[in-house]
């Protein structure tokens, strides 16, 4: 960079010689700031989504580049949130990109003090075994002479990350199992 260019780059020179005499706009902007571009401008795809964290269900725009999430912002077209996200929703990119997120099944056996990693198939089998055994042990055919055919030992509490279709399937599953306490957090 030449001396002249360097001097002309000074904010006070730009303020005195340019179109921003009060130094509250372009004159106060550094070259680094001028070169900054929003992460959203580099996306090759924008996908409409819903924040998975709570029952409000704020609309999100997920910016993707080369198959990776680069930014998540509020969706102005959402009638629920009209472009807004709370701090949790604004940070939801971390949900998919944070290197500290847990990606394996962790199991702490009864009276254990350490977490153990389990293969997913093994964990699924363990859960299925416990569900079947609990249902078998606590099955109630009648209550006070009235036919009920239920189990009070199994309940489901769904979270806001479940979509409509998943909730539909969970309701079917738990009803088929004979559970009657089937709830979801999404009740706002
Ligand atoms: S942005 Fe905040 S309020 Fe909206 S759904 Fe996500 S966690 Fe809930």
């Amino acid at each position: 960079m030449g001396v002249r260019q360097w001097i002309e780059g000074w904010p006070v020179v730009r303020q005195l010689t340019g179109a921003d005499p009060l130094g509250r706009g372009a004159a106060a902007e550094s070259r680094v700031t001028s070169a900054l571009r929003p992460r959203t401008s580099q996306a090759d795809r924008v996908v409409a989504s819903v924040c998975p964290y709570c029952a409000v269900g704020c609309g999100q725009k997920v910016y993707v580049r080369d198959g990776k999430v680069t930014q998540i912002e509020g969706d102005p077209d959402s009638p629920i949130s009209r472009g807004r996200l709370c701090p949790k929703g604004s940070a939801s990119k971390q949900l998919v990109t944070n290197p500290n997120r847990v990606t394996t099944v962790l199991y702490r056996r009864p009276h254990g003090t350490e977490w153990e990693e389990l293969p997913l198939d093994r964990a699924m089998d363990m859960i299925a075994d416990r569900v079947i055994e609990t249902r078998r042990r606590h099955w109630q055919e009648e209550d006070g002479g009235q036919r009920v055919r239920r189990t009070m030992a199994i309940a489901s509490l769904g979270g806001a990350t479940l979509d409509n279709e998943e909730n539909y399937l969970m309701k079917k599953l738990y009803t088929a199992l004979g559970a009657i306490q089937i709830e979801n957090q999404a009740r706002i």
Side-chain angles (χ1 to χ4, degrees):
M1 185 191 302
V3 176
R4 184 191 169 94
Q5 235 183 332
W6 183 65
I7 292 173
E8 284 174 352
W10 276 8
V12 69
V13 174
R14 285 190 279 141
Q15 183 178 344
L16 294 174
T17 59
D20 181 21
L22 297 178
R24 295 192 299 197
E29 192 174 276
S30 73
R31 284 198 184 84
V32 174
T33 303
S34 310
L36 289 177
R37 294 288 174 272
R39 269 170 284 185
T40 52
S41 68
Q42 296 155 11
D44 50 37
R45 211 149 50 94
V46 183
V47 184
S49 188
V50 177
C51 176
Y53 275 133
C54 91
V56 176
C58 298
Q60 292 186 323
K61 290 177 115 172
V62 181
Y63 294 81
V64 180
R65 183 180 172 83
D66 298 332
K68 293 210 167 63
V69 176
T70 55
Q71 178 73 357
I72 297 180
E73 303 216 331
D75 184 354
D77 292 334
S78 165
I80 307 294
S81 49
R82 290 181 288 167
R84 301 175 185 90
L85 292 176
C86 78
K88 231 166 38 156
S90 301
S92 54
K93 175 170 165 269
Q94 299 278 324
L95 194 64
V96 281
T97 60
N98 192 307
N100 293 324
R101 60 191 284 261
V102 176
T103 56
T104 54
V105 177
L106 294 179
Y107 173 63
R108 200 173 69 183
R109 57 185 66 244
H111 310 295
T113 56
E114 302 293 332
W115 293 101
E116 301 169 34
E117 278 193 15
L118 286 186
L120 181 59
D121 284 350
R122 168 95 181 100
M124 296 296 276
D125 284 347
M126 287 166 68
I127 293 168
D129 288 348
R130 283 159 170 74
V131 168
I132 291 166
E133 178 60 13
T134 304
R135 183 177 186 266
R136 191 189 61 72
R137 281 179 32 214
H138 298 278
W139 184 254
Q140 209 181 350
E141 193 68 28
E142 292 187 347
D143 184 16
Q146 193 172 358
R147 196 172 187 226
V148 289
R149 294 177 57 78
R150 69 188 181 194
T151 172
M152 301 283 272
I154 298 175
S156 168
L157 177 59
T161 47
L162 297 165
D163 58 30
N164 279 353
E165 291 76 12
E166 287 165 331
N167 278 313
Y168 171 83
L169 290 172
M170 287 186 69
K171 174 76 172 84
K172 286 271 181 203
L173 170 68
Y174 285 103
T175 301
L177 284 169
I180 55 173
Q181 298 103 335
I182 305 166
E183 255 296 359
N184 192 287
Q185 178 214 1
R187 282 191 169 267
I188 292 182

